[in-house]
C-alpha cells in the first residue's frame, strides 16, 4: 500500500493540470542510481499494465507503481513540501 498525503493530492492535481493531462496517473517507482544504489522516479503516465502494476487511489487521485518497485515502497507515504529550497514530492519511506 502506498499512502498519499493531502498536500501530495493537491500537488498531483495541479501538476496534471499544468501538463495538460488531467486524466493521467502519477507513476512512482524506484530505479537504479543515487547514493544507495536506488533513486525515486515520479512521472505522469497514461497506461496501467494489470500484470506488472498496482493502482492506488486516494480521494480520486490515482497513483500507479510497478510490482518490482512496490517491494521497496510498500508502506510509504508520498508527501509534497512547499519549501523554497528542496520543495517537491517527498517519499517518506520506512523501508529506506
Amino acid at each position: 500500500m502506498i499512502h498519499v498525503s493531502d498536500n501530495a493530492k493537491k500537488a498531483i492535481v495541479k501538476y496534471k493540470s499544468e501538463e495538460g493531462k488531467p486524466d493521467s496517473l502519477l507513476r512512482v517507482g524506484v530505479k537504479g542510481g543515487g547514493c544507495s544504489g536506488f533513486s525515486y522516479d515520479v512521472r505522469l503516465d497514461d497506461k496501467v499494465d494489470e500484470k506488472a502494476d498496482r493502482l492506488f487511489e486516494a480521494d480520486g487521485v490515482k497513483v500507479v507503481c510497478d510490482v518490482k518497485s512496490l517491494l521497496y515502497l510498500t508502506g510509504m507515504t508520498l508527501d509534497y513540501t512547499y519549501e523554497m529550497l528542496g520543495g517537491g514530492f517527498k517519499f517518506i519511506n520506512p523501508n529506506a
Side-chain angles (χ1 to χ4, degrees):
M1 179 81 178
I2 293 176
H3 307 280
V4 182
S5 74
D6 288 339
N7 279 346
K9 290 175 200 171
K10 292 174 191 172
I12 292 167
V13 170
K14 182 179 177 188
Y15 178 42
K16 293 186 331 180
S17 175
E18 289 174 348
E19 294 296 316
K21 298 181 176 185
D23 297 325
S24 61
L25 311 161
L26 187 77
R27 180 173 289 279
V28 296
V30 177
K31 61 182 182 178
C35 298
S36 65
F38 294 104
S39 63
Y40 295 115
D41 184 33
V42 179
R43 59 189 163 90
L44 294 179
D45 200 345
D46 296 322
K47 299 176 189 146
V48 176
D49 181 336
E50 292 185 19
K51 292 181 182 177
D53 293 330
R54 296 296 174 263
L55 181 65
F56 302 93
E57 187 170 352
D59 299 327
V61 175
K62 295 179 181 178
V63 176
V64 65
C65 180
D66 65 276
V67 292
K68 289 181 182 179
S69 293
L70 194 56
L71 292 171
Y72 302 98
L73 300 179
T74 296
M76 177 202 79
T77 298
L78 182 64
D79 195 10
Y80 191 88
T81 61
Y82 294 93
E83 301 168 8
M84 285 291 255
L85 296 173
F89 287 106
K90 180 178 178 180
F91 288 70
I92 303 169
N93 189 347
N95 304 308

